[in-house]
Structures are given as C-alpha cells and as structure tokens.
Amino acid sequence: MSRLSSRHLLGIKDLTSEDLQLILETAANFKEVINRPIKKVPSLRDITIANVFFENSTRTKLSFELAEKRLSADVVNFSSSNSSVKKGESLVDTVNNILSMKVDMVVMRHSSPGAPHFLSRNVKANIINAGDGTHEHPTQALLDSFSIQEKLGDVAGKKVAIIGDILHSRVALSNIFCLQKLGAEVMVCGPITLLPKHIASLGVKVELDVKKALQWCDVANVLRIQLERQQIKYFPSMREYSLYYGIDKAMLDELDKEIVIMHPGPINRGVELNSDVADSEQSIILHQVENGVAVRMAVLYLLAGAN
C-alpha cells in the first residue's frame, strides 16, 4: 500500500491501521531527511498550501509551516484575528476565496468540532485537520505514536496512560483511536470531573489514582488543564490539582520500572509536571516536537499523491 485511503486527514477515526502504518513508515524516511545537512526535498514543488488558523497555535503552526517548506511547497499563512472573518464572512466563503488563488491544500485549526469535516464537503482542496475544538488532533496522535515506536521499538502491546484533562482534550481522543488501531492498551486517568461520562465505551481502562496509572503503564502521556475551554470550575484550585495529579521525580523513582514521559505541550510546569520530570532522561517531549515535522511532512506528501 502506497496511498492513503482518504484524500483528507480529518481524524484518526477515519483512517485504517494500514493508513497509520504507511504514515509512520513515510515519517521515518522524512526523519532521515530533516537530519541531513541539506534538509529540503522537491517533493511538493508545484503545490501551494494555506495554513488557516482560527485559534492560537505555536508548535502546530510552526511545525506544519516548516514541514511544508522542507517539502518545497509554496506556503500561505492566514490568521482569523486580522481577516474578513471579523467582518462576518463565513468559513466556506473565507476558504473559497483562498482557494480561488489556486491553493491546493488547506491545513485548518478551528474552535468548532467538525469544522474540517464540514469544509471537506464544501470545497475541492485536500483538508488537514490541525485541531477542531475538543474533537480531534490527528497529527499530534500520529507524532506521539511515532515517538513511542522510535523509543520502544513498537507501539503494539505497549500500555499507554493518558493523564489529565481528558474531557476538554482533542489530543486524548485522537491518541485513543491511534494507539488502539496500532495495538496498544490505553488507560485514561484524571479527576472524575475531567473524564467524559462514557469514556469506557471506547475500550479504555479508567483510573482515578495517578500513582496506580503510572505503575500500570509503559508510557505516560500527560495533558495540561485546558482552562480556556472550561466554562465552570471542575476542581477547587490548580494547587489542589497539582497535589493529587501532578507528577514529580519522586513518584517516578518509587516505581519498579522506568516509564517514558510525554506531553503534547505547552507544559504548565509545577501543575501537571514538575521540571525534574519534564527535563529528565525519561522525558521525550522535545523528541515529540522534532518528530512532529517528519510526521507532518509524511501526511502532506501522501495527501498530495492522493489526488
């Protein structure tokens, strides 16, 4: 198999396990490319890509832009904060105006779940979901799985605990789908107020005690508290959350094995992770950032060939 089953990347849920393996294999090739002295390849020389971000982003936007430039694509950046969206222009009109300038692919982040799916049904370009509200963030899940594979040799058979604000996290849902399709066991852990009501129906284990979750897992993927998405208080204070769910080096030293620590960023140091964990030898957080470029290069390359 050398082509994806879809011409869009809207979510991990829509991909087959063969699609995931193809993306990870292609990413491994591009990882080699970005570590060469000359990091550029002419693969997308005739392709124009628009990065359309309706929400703030640092890592994802930079990572996509760098991936596009490494592939020699022409890049257009769009930010809703200084656009006609402020004047009442609709999402479809905004994107169609961009596409009328002969743009081939759209990378989009939006606060509304399902926005990329809606767009894919209404415009002709390839759509890549860079995060839609609390729904999915497929390229983050792909780079997380790629990082686990790189560190531990394989994803299949590994135990991965996703710890933190599961309720508001698009990273959590995409990771659950991706890890399960690649053969991993998944556990979610957090305060019961931050766990979706029917999360167990996705086939994941549910744990409220962070120490038990750490003892169970091979990999802990720790999520931040997404205060910007919370309309009500889900726990008394950040200090209390840190006291019960914050991870420090002493907790890791108590375990009878060494586990891998991951975080999609940005880290709230002293809340979900102490610096002695985030900067430890067990942490692969910066490797995740590096791998993000290779994985996004793979996605762009494969979707460009899907037309």
Side-chain angles (χ1 to χ4, degrees), residues 5-6 8-16 19 117 136 181:
S5 61
S6 172
H8 307 290
L9 178 60
L10 304 176
I12 300 296
K13 190 175 183 180
D14 306 316
L15 298 180
T16 65
D19 287 331
H117 301 71
E136 278 217 52
K181 288 184 180 187

Side-chain angles (χ1 to χ4, degrees), residues 9-301:
L9 178 60
L10 304 176
I12 300 296
K13 190 175 183 180
D14 306 316
L15 298 180
T16 65
S17 54
E18 289 79 14
D19 287 331
L20 298 178
Q21 291 292 356
L22 178 60
I23 292 169
L24 297 184
E25 287 167 15
T26 309
N29 294 329
F30 282 124
K31 178 78 183 278
E32 184 192 335
V33 169
I34 63 175
N35 283 298
R36 294 176 189 168
I38 298 172
K39 301 173 176 63
K40 221 168 184 183
V41 289
S43 305
L44 300 188
R45 193 170 48 199
D46 301 322
I47 301 291
T48 302
I49 303 172
N51 296 317
V52 181
F53 279 65
F54 291 87
E55 276 191 323
N56 293 335
S57 173
T58 304
R59 273 157 304 282
T60 303
K61 191 172 183 181
L62 283 174
S63 185
F64 265 114
E65 190 172 346
L66 197 54
E68 291 151 6
K69 289 179 176 177
R70 293 277 188 258
L71 291 167
S72 304
D74 294 319
V75 181
V76 179
N77 288 311
F78 168 92
S79 173
S80 64
S81 59
N82 49 11
S83 73
S84 293
V85 171
K86 292 289 185 185
K87 303 173 186 175
E89 187 173 60
S90 73
L91 173 61
V92 172
D93 284 342
T94 298
V95 175
N96 274 328
N97 273 285
I98 294 169
L99 295 180
S100 67
M101 301 174 203
K102 308 306 176 190
V103 169
D104 304 293
M105 301 174 76
V106 175
V107 177
M108 187 176 78
R109 169 168 288 187
H110 201 283
S111 59
S112 298
H117 301 71
F118 169 75
L119 203 61
S120 70
R121 294 192 295 268
N122 288 277
V123 302
K124 292 180 180 177
N126 304 91
I127 308 296
I128 299 174
N129 181 4
D132 58 331
T134 57
H135 182 224
E136 278 217 52
H137 191 352
T139 57
Q140 181 67 47
L142 288 163
L143 73 90
D144 287 347
S145 290
F146 182 80
S147 300
I148 293 170
Q149 182 175 280
E150 189 178 60
K151 178 72 175 177
L152 300 179
D154 200 358
V155 178
K158 300 299 181 289
K159 296 178 177 179
V160 182
I162 305 172
I163 300 169
D165 185 357
I166 311 297
L167 183 64
H168 300 95
S169 175
R170 53 189 167 216
V171 173
L173 189 58
S174 285
N175 259 291
I176 289 168
F177 291 143
C178 192
L179 291 165
Q180 288 179 335
K181 288 184 180 187
L182 292 171
E185 287 185 70
V186 184
M187 173 185 283
V188 294
C189 175
I192 197 160
T193 53
L194 291 177
L195 297 176
K197 192 173 182 181
H198 302 292
I199 189 74
S201 66
L202 293 178
V204 300
K205 297 178 185 294
V206 179
E207 179 58 67
L208 303 180
D209 187 329
V210 71
K211 290 186 178 180
K212 289 181 181 176
L214 293 174
Q215 185 60 55
W216 175 85
C217 71
D218 301 307
V219 179
N221 197 346
V222 187
L223 309 177
R224 71 183 176 89
I225 297 296
Q226 303 212 13
L227 291 175
E228 72 275 13
R229 300 189 192 281
Q230 297 182 9
Q231 307 300 319
I232 60 173
K233 284 183 78 73
Y234 289 87
F235 47 87
S237 67
M238 292 294 267
R239 184 173 178 273
E240 183 159 325
Y241 179 86
S242 178
L243 190 64
Y244 284 95
Y245 287 95
I247 300 171
D248 59 27
K249 195 69 169 68
M251 292 170 68
L252 298 186
D253 291 341
E254 288 174 8
L255 303 176
D256 56 18
K257 59 182 177 180
E258 188 169 288
I259 65 170
V260 177
I261 298 293
M262 303 175 70
H263 196 300
I267 305 169
N268 290 320
R269 289 175 182 258
V271 181
E272 70 268 14
L273 280 182
N274 279 12
S275 290
D276 57 5
V277 174
D279 302 328
S280 70
E281 291 294 315
Q282 291 169 253
S283 166
I284 59 167
I285 295 169
L286 291 179
H287 293 288
Q288 288 174 261
V289 178
E290 180 186 353
N291 290 337
V293 177
V295 166
R296 289 174 176 121
M297 286 174 76
V299 168
L300 292 162
Y301 173 78

